[in-house]
């Protein structure tokens, strides 16, 4: 498990939520879509870290 990678994923999620909220306030559909995409990317990154953790546990 890389704490640094998990922190980057969490930061990307926060960034995405903020961008989506900005899009909601301004009515900009592009900001909303980009914010949701960043949140999805964050979920994928967390999933990858979970897989890494599981593999490492099985190897130990």
């Amino acid at each position: 498990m890389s704490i640094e990678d998990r922190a980057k994923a969490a930061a990307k999620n926060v960034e995405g939520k903020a961008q989506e909220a900005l899009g909601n306030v301004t009515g900009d559909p592009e900001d909303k879509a980009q914010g949701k995409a960043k949140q999805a990317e964050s979920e994928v990154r967390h999933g990858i870290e979970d897989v890494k953790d599981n593999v490492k546990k099985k190897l130990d």
Side-chain angles (χ1 to χ4, degrees):
M1 170 176 84
S2 171
I3 293 175
E4 183 178 324
D5 289 339
R6 286 199 185 269
K8 287 179 184 178
K12 181 66 77 173
N13 188 40
V14 170
E15 180 183 347
K17 286 182 185 224
Q19 189 170 8
E20 182 182 6
L22 176 66
N24 286 331
V25 170
T26 62
D28 185 351
E30 188 175 326
D31 271 339
K32 286 169 50 174
Q34 287 177 350
K36 287 183 180 187
K38 287 178 182 178
Q39 291 174 62
E41 179 185 346
S42 170
E43 288 180 28
V44 169
R45 287 184 181 191
H46 277 293
I48 290 170
E49 290 304 311
D50 290 342
V51 169
K52 286 181 187 178
D53 287 345
N54 288 334
V55 169
K56 185 175 181 188
K57 285 179 186 177
K58 290 184 182 195
L59 292 176
D60 286 342

